[in-house]
């Protein structure tokens, strides 16, 4: 279950990092939706609190600019690939071929 707010075509160009600073990334693309997800996987990941997701395109909109070797990929609920910092566990991005709405 999710609450979807479509915001098609909003340009996004932001930089971010994990909590410990080992991984830095940049998002460049078009934001196509903003989602507050209540699915079982997201709630388990946060201790039963919904998670906020930005959906961007193209698929390669998120690039790791520093610490690429520190990124760990874990396959989770509904075959979503979670990219997290291997040191502190901060989420970097999630990837799924099929968006689970």
């Amino acid at each position: 279950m999710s609450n979807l707010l479509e915001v098609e075509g909003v340009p996004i160009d932001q930089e971010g990092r994990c909590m410990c600073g080992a991984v830095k990334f940049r998002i460049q693309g078009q934001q196509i939706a903003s989602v507050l997800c209540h699915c079982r996987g997201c709630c388990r990941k946060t201790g039963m609190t919904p998670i906020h997701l930005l959906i961007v395109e193209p698929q390669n909109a998120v690039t790791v600019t520093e610490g690429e070797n520190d990124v760990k990929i874990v396959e989770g609920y509904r075959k979503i690939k979670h990219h997290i910092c291997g040191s502190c566990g901060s989420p970097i991005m999630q990837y799924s071929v099929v968006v689970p709405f």
Side-chain angles (χ1 to χ4, degrees):
M1 181 176 143
S2 65
N3 297 332
L4 174 66
L5 172 63
E6 292 186 37
V7 289
E8 287 191 42
V10 176
I12 187 168
D13 187 355
Q14 295 183 345
E15 294 181 350
R17 69 175 186 91
C18 65
M19 285 179 53
C20 72
V23 178
K24 295 181 181 175
F25 58 91
R26 185 169 191 173
I27 305 169
Q28 291 180 296
Q30 299 290 317
Q31 181 180 346
I32 58 172
S34 182
V35 180
L36 186 59
C37 189
H38 301 78
C39 81
R40 184 180 313 155
C42 287
C43 287
R44 283 183 179 164
K45 187 162 69 171
T46 60
M48 295 310 292
T49 303
I51 190 169
H52 180 244
L53 303 170
L54 293 178
I55 300 175
V56 296
E57 58 181 19
Q59 288 181 348
N60 62 352
V62 180
T63 55
V64 176
T65 57
E66 192 174 311
E68 191 169 345
N69 291 335
D70 292 313
V71 176
K72 183 177 177 183
I73 300 173
V74 179
E75 190 170 302
Y77 182 70
R78 293 190 182 174
K79 306 265 186 216
I80 295 172
K81 294 187 187 300
H82 301 271
H83 297 238
I84 62 172
C85 173
S87 297
C88 67
S90 294
I92 307 299
M93 70 175 160
Q94 297 180 144
Y95 174 76
S96 177
V97 176
V98 178
V99 181
F101 296 128

